[in-house]
Amino acid sequence: MSKLLLIDDDVELANMLKEFLTQEGFTVTTAHDGLTGEQYVLAGKFELVILDVMMPGQDGMQTLKNIRQHSDIPVLMLTAKDDNEGRIEGLEGGADDYVQKPCLPRELVARIRAILRRQNNDIPKGNDIVVGQLIVSGERRKVFWGDQPIVFTSTEFSLIEILAKHAGTIVSKEDLSQKALGRSLVKYDRSIDVHLSSIRQKISEASGGVNVIQTIYRVGYQLVRD
């Protein structure tokens, strides 16, 4: 059973989601404030965190920031329906995906399973993909610029792996969403753009300013070959 950590100050909702997720075959631990949840992440062996954004005291954004300082565990954010800025801030802060509240439990399960499939590397393993100085290792789920490791979230790794496999070819945002997020792209959804922006920044920092990802306006993205 996959072990999940659910961090949400709404005790009633958290218990309801825990019951449903348990019925779906997950082992769920709950925390009802950000600080306790953060401590659980550092002390426990969880495979994914479900994290509510709006919490009193230490909110979800600060909790995410603190978690990312110590762990690359996949994080699925629970956001308010109209909180577009919160969703973007969460993705920029290292969240793998988000679900809007109130959410359908089956949608939550689908998002969780999509992230876990990527994390458990259901993609067939093979040799490292080398594009110039960029090395993408599907076997280890690691990325390097030369011999310098670059730390990516699970979703970021999936995106850069897809682009590396199709280096020199434009990959549409719809294809990236389907393959990396496990869902269709919807109108006004900037998840792919935000993730790619983070990937660009991390590669740039490791490479001394090299930009290897090209945006094709209104079409998609391309990893540029040397």
Side-chain angles (χ1 to χ4, degrees):
M1 290 186 180
S2 297
K3 295 181 179 180
L4 312 180
L5 175 63
L6 172 59
I7 307 173
D8 196 322
D9 66 300
D10 187 331
V11 177
E12 184 177 353
L13 175 62
N15 289 337
M16 183 271 290
L17 291 177
K18 178 179 180 178
E19 180 178 355
F20 184 85
L21 291 170
T22 300
Q23 292 173 353
E24 291 293 317
F26 299 104
T27 300
V28 183
T29 299
T30 57
H32 301 302
D33 65 84
L35 182 58
T36 301
E38 177 189 336
Q39 293 171 344
Y40 280 6
V41 170
L42 299 180
K45 294 183 178 179
F46 300 100
E47 295 174 59
L48 181 142
V49 176
I50 306 163
L51 176 61
D52 185 31
V53 171
M54 299 298 293
M55 292 187 293
Q58 181 172 296
D59 65 10
M61 295 303 178
Q62 184 61 49
T63 302
L64 174 63
K65 180 179 179 180
N66 294 348
I67 288 173
R68 280 289 170 256
Q69 291 176 352
H70 305 283
S71 173
D72 60 356
I73 186 172
V75 176
L76 178 64
M77 302 290 287
L78 299 178
T79 69
K81 183 177 181 180
D82 299 320
D83 187 15
N84 293 323
E85 290 301 318
R87 288 194 288 275
I88 293 172
E89 184 180 352
L91 293 171
E92 289 178 338
D96 289 86
D97 203 354
Y98 66 86
V99 174
Q100 296 180 0
K101 295 174 67 176
C103 62
L104 295 173
R106 300 205 71 84
E107 178 188 8
L108 179 61
V109 169
R111 297 287 181 88
I112 291 170
R113 286 180 172 154
I115 293 172
L116 290 176
R117 279 197 299 272
R118 299 195 301 269
Q119 182 69 8
N120 294 329
N121 199 14
D122 285 346
I123 301 171
K125 297 177 181 178
N127 295 328
D128 292 351
I129 305 169
V130 181
V131 183
Q133 292 292 309
L134 187 70
I135 303 168
V136 180
S137 174
E139 183 81 26
R140 295 173 290 170
R141 290 188 70 81
K142 300 289 185 182
V143 179
F144 302 85
W145 183 267
D147 59 358
Q148 180 176 344
I150 307 174
V151 179
F152 286 131
T153 67
S154 176
T155 297
E156 289 170 351
F157 178 85
S158 295
L159 286 166
I160 193 64
E161 183 180 42
I162 293 165
L163 291 175
K165 286 182 175 179
H166 299 87
T169 303
I170 300 169
V171 183
S172 71
K173 288 202 286 186
E174 173 64 30
D175 283 346
L176 289 170
S177 185
Q178 287 280 6
K179 294 175 181 178
L181 300 181
R183 57 183 170 86
S184 297
L185 191 70
V186 296
K187 194 173 183 180
Y188 304 124
D189 185 351
R190 293 193 55 211
S191 299
I192 296 296
D193 300 318
V194 175
H195 284 306
L196 264 295
S197 176
S198 176
I199 292 169
R200 270 199 184 107
Q201 181 178 348
K202 291 178 180 180
I203 293 176
S204 177
E205 290 173 355
S207 65
V210 177
N211 179 22
V212 296
I213 299 175
Q214 182 179 8
T215 303
I216 312 301
Y217 183 60
R218 291 187 175 179
V219 179
Y221 293 89
Q222 176 180 245
L223 186 65
V224 180
R225 289 187 178 277
D226 286 347

